[in-house]
Amino acid sequence: MSCSKVALIYDAHQLKRRRRFRLAAVLTAISLLAALFALYQVAFAYTWSTSTVDGTGTNVGPYTSIAAVDASNLFISYYDGTNGDLKFARSTNGGSTWSTSIVDGTGMVGQYTSIAAVDASTIFISYHDYSNIGLKFAKSTNGGTSWSTSIVDHSDMVGLYTSIAAVDASTIFISYHDYL
């Protein structure tokens, strides 16, 4: 059974409670299981090392998402709860050092973030805008140096639990939860 069918079953049950699940991307259950199996193999086959990405504030780092285009170029999107901002971190040396910046600092934004990258320059982030109760999208074409943002959906209470995938620079899929 594909995830789209599972999503439709979920949608039918949630409509009874006035909740809808919007799905803009489709994954098959088989590919999802394959991805989970690969993650399981990696988690138990290697020794993990940790590093601090952003040590500022007292509530920095909830709602994280990570993308890697190769072993050196790593990208993280996350919420800065201290300031209510969507932030971005980039490492060009496999996570040894990080540079951070604010992607969107207008209002309380950045919860339920998801990140995707098609190469070291082209990066996409989907996230929730709590202040305006909507789903937003950020795009960088210069490796995260600058960002353009836009509203994807601004109806009712949308944009929770986002997930983004990019096939290339012009084919982007976002799934998210519509609460009402």
Side-chain angles (χ1 to χ4, degrees):
M1 177 184 295
S2 71
C3 285
S4 61
K5 291 180 182 174
V6 172
L8 291 175
I9 292 166
Y10 176 77
D11 188 30
H13 292 293
Q14 291 300 321
L15 282 174
K16 293 177 185 175
R17 289 184 229 134
R18 299 196 53 176
R19 295 182 179 160
R20 297 180 310 272
F21 184 88
R22 294 183 183 174
L23 183 66
V26 178
L27 279 176
T28 64
I30 295 170
S31 66
L32 182 59
L33 289 174
L36 291 174
F37 179 73
L39 180 62
Y40 176 82
Q41 286 181 323
V42 170
F44 293 101
Y46 297 99
T47 303
W48 292 90
S49 62
T50 61
S51 63
T52 301
V53 174
D54 186 343
T56 63
T58 57
N59 188 20
V60 176
Y63 305 104
T64 63
S65 182
I66 190 167
V69 293
D70 55 41
S72 297
N73 290 287
L74 310 175
F75 310 109
I76 298 175
S77 61
Y78 60 100
Y79 178 62
D80 176 352
T82 303
N83 298 300
D85 299 332
L86 171 64
K87 294 184 85 175
F88 168 77
R90 176 185 178 139
S91 176
T92 57
N93 56 15
S96 295
T97 59
W98 295 89
S99 61
T100 63
S101 62
I102 296 173
V103 174
D104 189 347
T106 307
M108 185 177 272
V109 294
Q111 297 167 322
Y112 305 103
T113 180
S114 182
I115 192 168
V118 294
D119 56 45
S121 298
T122 312
I123 307 158
F124 308 104
I125 302 173
S126 60
Y127 58 101
H128 179 65
D129 179 348
Y130 183 80
S131 295
N132 296 302
I133 309 172
L135 172 67
K136 290 185 82 175
F137 169 77
K139 176 182 180 178
S140 176
T141 56
N142 56 14
T145 302
S146 63
W147 295 89
S148 61
T149 63
S150 61
I151 297 169
V152 176
D153 190 347
H154 196 265
S155 58
D156 299 320
M157 182 67 170
V158 299
L160 305 173
Y161 310 105
T162 71
S163 181
I164 192 168
V167 176
D168 53 42
S170 60
T171 310
I172 302 135
F173 301 95
I174 300 173
S175 66
Y176 60 103
H177 181 73
D178 180 343
Y179 185 74
L180 299 176

